Amino acid sequence: MSGVIVTDPPKAEAKDVEALAGYGVATVSEAMGRTGLLGPEIRPVQQGVRVAGTAVTVLSWPGDNLMIHAAVEQCGEGDILVVTTTSPCTDGLFGELFATALKQRGVRGVVLNTGIRDTQELRDMGFAAWSRAVSAQGTVKATGGSVNVPIAIDGQVIRPGDVILADDDGVVVVPRERAREAAERSEAREAKEAATRTAFLDGQLGLDRYGLRDSLKRLGVEYRTHEEYAGDGS
C-alpha cells in the first residue's frame, strides 16, 4: 500500500471552530439537519469532556500505526487527529506515548475508528480520546498509508481541516466550508431550546407546545379511562 502525506491542507477558521466548541454534538448535528454523526460505536474513554478542532486525517493499514507516527509531524495547535484503517481493525493503534507527543504540539484529542489502549493514562494526563474499541493488542510499523487525505468513518466523509466536535454523546464532523453556518444554526437552536426549557419549567407540556395532540388524533391514538380500558378486555 503506497500513500501520500499532504502537508498544507486548508482548514476551517479558528474563530468558527471556537464558536462550535460552545455547543454539544447533538445540538450541532440537529442544527445541520441531522447530518455528520459518526456511529454510536465511537465512544469516549473519559466523561464530561467536550473538544472541537480541525481534523488531521490518517489512513492506515490494519494493525499498523506507522502513519500515526507520520501524522504527528503534521499536527499542530487546535487539531484533532482522526484515524481509520483500510479494513476493520480493533487493535490498540494509539496509546499514552502518542498522546504525550500530540499534547506537546497542542492537539486537542483523537478520534479512532480502531482500538485504543492506555486509557487510564490518557484520562490521568487529560488527553481526550474517542475510539471504536479498547484493546491492549499491539501493532507493527511496516506498511505505508496516507495523512491528510479524505477518509470515511461510518459513512461520513472527513477531510483534513474539517471541524471535529466530540463529547459524551459521540462525534460529529462539520465540513470546513459550513463551520460558520453550523455555528449560527446551533446558536439559533440553543435559543429555541432555552425558550422551550422555560416553558416546561412553567408547566407547559410538550404535547401542547409542539402541537402533538392533533398528531395523536390523526394516528388513531385514543384516551380512555381505566374503566373503559378494562371493560373492553384490552
Side-chain angles (χ1 to χ4, degrees):
M1 175 180 173
S2 59
V4 62
I5 299 172
V6 180
T7 60
D8 57 347
K11 294 184 177 183
E13 293 287 337
K15 62 180 182 296
D16 298 330
V17 177
E18 293 310 307
L20 284 168
Y23 306 105
V25 165
T27 294
V28 172
S29 177
E30 291 280 359
M32 292 285 289
R34 297 183 179 177
T35 62
L37 281 177
L38 275 58
E41 294 82 8
I42 306 290
R43 301 300 304 147
V45 304
Q46 68 285 309
Q47 291 291 304
V49 174
R50 178 189 297 163
V51 297
T54 45
V56 172
T57 60
V58 179
L59 180 63
S60 289
W61 194 260
D64 192 312
N65 67 5
L66 172 62
M67 299 314 297
I68 299 180
H69 284 278
V72 171
E73 184 182 24
Q74 304 306 317
C75 290
E77 186 72 35
D79 286 333
I80 292 179
L81 187 67
V82 186
V83 180
T84 193
T85 49
T86 56
S87 61
C89 172
T90 58
D91 296 344
L93 266 67
F94 187 98
E96 178 264 336
L97 291 178
F98 272 137
T100 299
L102 290 174
K103 189 173 183 179
Q104 190 275 337
R105 300 178 76 86
V107 174
R108 295 175 177 172
V110 64
V111 175
L112 297 148
N113 191 29
T114 66
I116 195 170
R117 62 185 188 178
D118 303 334
T119 56
Q120 183 63 59
E121 289 82 357
L122 296 181
R123 288 188 290 271
D124 289 345
M125 67 187 292
F127 189 81
W130 287 254
S131 69
R132 184 169 295 276
V134 174
S135 174
Q137 177 63 49
T139 58
V140 299
K141 302 165 181 60
T143 312
S146 293
V147 176
N148 278 334
V149 299
I151 60 174
I153 298 177
D154 295 332
Q156 301 296 332
V157 175
I158 302 168
R159 302 167 306 161
D162 284 348
V163 182
I164 299 294
L165 177 67
D167 62 17
D168 289 350
D169 291 338
V171 181
V172 65
V173 56
V174 177
R176 56 182 181 261
E177 301 90 347
R178 299 189 65 189
R180 172 66 61 84
E181 173 195 356
E184 292 172 350
R185 289 190 176 193
S186 296
E187 181 181 17
R189 181 175 178 83
E190 281 228 330
K192 181 179 179 181
E193 289 188 344
T196 299
R197 188 176 300 109
T198 298
F200 286 172
L201 288 171
D202 289 340
Q204 186 178 19
L205 296 173
L207 284 172
D208 298 313
R209 185 166 184 83
Y210 300 136
L212 298 177
R213 295 190 187 278
D214 288 341
S215 297
L216 292 176
K217 184 177 180 180
R218 185 178 68 255
L219 293 168
V221 179
E222 300 178 344
Y223 284 87
R224 293 191 179 188
T225 66
H226 173 71
E227 183 177 358
E228 291 169 337
Y229 179 72
D232 67 8
S234 299

